[in-house]
Amino acid sequence: MRALDFDYMLGLVPVILGYVPLTLFMAVAAMVCALALASLMAVERVIKVPGLDWLVILFISFFRGTPLLVQLFLFYYGLPQVFSFLAQINGVTAAIMGLTLHFSAYMAEAIRAAIIGVDRSQWEASQSIGMTQGQMMRRIVLPQAARIAAPTLVNYFIDMIKGTSLAFTLGVTEMMGAAQKEAAGSFLYFEAFLVVALIYWFMVEVLSQGQKILETRLNKAYAR
């Protein structure tokens, strides 16, 4: 059993950290897009627009029922063969698209549950003063649902950050891709992947602590 090459690991840390901004960019961009799409689908699942509901159900079923890696390959390698204009999409864009669609399916269900969790008296009070469904959702229901769903959505963002590691399969040199290249040149695979694992771990722990603080503040704001 050989000893770990700590000098190599220490030298690799700044190299991997240099790709953290790209990893965070993909995760944040996908989170913003997924949150917007998931909110629309969640509202639709609650109010059930005729003719549209079955499409949303099919979308959620497909993206929850297939692996993220398969979806990424489908977007990057498969769809350009069917739609030639998609051949111009690069790996980063394909990764953001895949993460957006994959996690929006999960987030839609979480937001829908949060919307349903809002006290029915709030709905009835809104209707009694003449609010339309759109006004009720925008001004009363969704702000309260956001508090309920926030901890779960942060968990999905954490999963999204970890999911960006699959972008290297599309030729994107992010943290995992950089570790793969460094390991291929040095043959110190264990050290390289251990470094990237520790960096991911650190990022997730920071976000987890932020999630706890957010949850405490939200609960305190609504404490009676």
Side-chain angles (χ1 to χ4, degrees), residues 2-173:
R2 68 175 180 83
L4 289 176
D5 191 334
F6 288 104
D7 289 336
Y8 172 77
M9 292 175 67
L10 289 173
L12 188 58
V13 169
V15 175
I16 302 300
L17 288 177
Y19 293 92
V20 169
L22 177 58
T23 293
L24 292 178
F25 168 74
M26 289 191 293
V28 171
M31 184 66 184
V32 171
C33 295
L35 186 58
L37 180 58
S39 298
L40 291 175
M41 290 193 293
V43 171
E44 193 288 324
R45 291 287 291 122
V46 172
I47 64 178
K48 298 187 184 299
V49 178
L52 185 60
D53 195 49
W54 71 272
L55 284 174
V56 174
I57 292 173
L58 182 64
F59 177 95
I60 292 173
S61 176
F62 177 80
F63 284 100
R64 282 167 61 99
T66 54
L68 175 57
L69 182 59
V70 173
Q71 294 165 16
L72 292 175
F73 276 37
L74 182 64
F75 291 131
Y76 191 63
Y77 297 111
L79 287 182
Q81 294 185 336
V82 180
F83 304 103
S84 58
F85 67 92
L86 292 177
Q88 306 302 318
I89 293 178
N90 58 30
V92 172
T93 303
I96 292 172
M97 287 174 54
L99 290 168
T100 294
L101 298 178
H102 180 82
F103 283 98
S104 67
Y106 288 91
M107 291 163 61
E109 290 298 284
I111 295 172
R112 182 177 72 90
I115 291 173
I116 294 173
V118 174
D119 196 297
R120 295 304 300 182
S121 63
Q122 301 289 320
W123 298 65
E124 294 165 0
S126 302
Q127 292 171 339
S128 70
I129 61 174
M131 280 190 176
T132 64
Q133 275 195 327
Q135 291 173 328
M136 177 178 65
M137 282 290 178
R138 187 173 64 254
R139 299 178 182 178
I140 306 297
V141 178
L142 288 179
Q144 295 183 65
R147 179 184 67 88
I148 299 171
T152 303
L153 295 179
V154 173
N155 278 334
Y156 283 129
F157 180 60
I158 290 172
D159 287 340
M160 203 173 285
I161 287 178
K162 292 184 287 186
T164 61
S165 63
L166 295 175
F168 90 97
T169 62
L170 308 183
V172 179
T173 304

